[in-house]
Amino acid sequence: YAMLLSLIFLIVLVAAIVGFVFRHEIKTSFESNLELALKDYNVTADPHSEAVDTIQRTLHCCGVQNYSDWERTEYFSQRGIPRSCCKNQNDCSEQDLKDPNKAQLKVFVNGCFFLVTSTMESKMSVVAGISFGIACFQLIGIILSCCLSRYITNNQYEMV
């Protein structure tokens, strides 16, 4: 049991170290994937498009760096900025969304990349605290299982 807990502890420790070391690569990868999702955005039931809409609605943001990122997409030339960027869904017409100057007043102007990464970084302290607590319990379990193993071994030796 102690070996199993030690193995799990080491796996979690290595995963945390790798995540910390490669955090900049993770950000870069997320940014490029978000740009790709904007480029391939459409209104069908595409999971990437739904993810972009969910991020924009939830975090009140639009585009990668700002709302003007949509101007470089094929979707913008057909329909303008997506409705998921609108501050007020009732006050957002398709004509407003096709004109970047009018859209600036109707949509969220901040980009999603900064908001997503800052939200993740702000929650990292909570994740680190929970992980540290779990690691402490694992270490206590390892120590207690070793003590139990030693106790069982000593008692069997005395009985013989």
Side-chain angles (χ1 to χ4, degrees):
Y1 183 70
M3 294 301 289
L4 179 65
L5 278 179
S6 299
L7 180 66
I8 293 170
F9 178 77
L10 288 175
I11 290 171
V12 170
L13 182 65
V14 167
I17 291 170
V18 167
F20 181 75
V21 169
F22 292 110
R23 67 187 183 280
H24 298 294
E25 287 82 359
I26 293 170
K27 280 185 182 180
T28 305
S29 175
F30 175 71
E31 184 176 20
S32 63
N33 284 328
L34 188 58
E35 288 172 355
L36 185 63
L38 257 65
K39 181 179 162 244
D40 295 336
Y41 182 88
N42 57 30
V43 290
T44 61
D46 177 25
H48 297 265
S49 300
E50 290 177 21
V52 169
D53 286 337
T54 302
I55 290 171
Q56 290 181 152
R57 271 193 219 102
T58 306
L59 295 178
H60 303 292
C61 59
C62 189
V64 179
Q65 301 301 328
N66 57 40
Y67 77 100
S68 64
D69 293 336
W70 283 104
E71 294 176 39
R72 296 184 297 273
T73 65
E74 186 177 323
Y75 182 84
F76 181 81
S77 61
Q78 297 170 357
R79 294 197 165 151
I81 297 172
R83 293 189 63 80
S84 60
C85 285
C86 293
K87 293 177 186 175
N88 183 355
Q89 295 294 323
N90 299 328
D91 186 31
C92 224
S93 69
E94 194 169 318
Q95 285 72 29
D96 292 338
L97 295 174
K98 284 184 176 181
D99 182 9
N101 295 325
K102 289 182 184 176
Q104 183 178 7
L105 303 172
K106 306 275 183 171
V107 300
F108 303 113
V109 292
N110 295 330
C112 294
F113 175 71
F114 175 74
L115 288 173
V116 169
T117 55
S118 63
T119 302
M120 286 173 40
E121 288 172 355
S122 70
K123 304 295 182 201
M124 282 307 207
S125 60
V126 173
V127 171
I130 292 170
S131 299
F132 181 73
I134 291 170
C136 288
F137 278 116
Q138 285 180 326
L139 288 175
I140 291 170
I142 292 168
I143 292 168
L144 290 177
S145 65
C146 289
C147 291
L148 179 62
S149 173
R150 176 175 280 183
Y151 177 75
I152 290 172
T153 305
N154 287 342
N155 280 347
Q156 285 179 347
Y157 181 71
E158 290 176 7
M159 290 174 63
V160 175

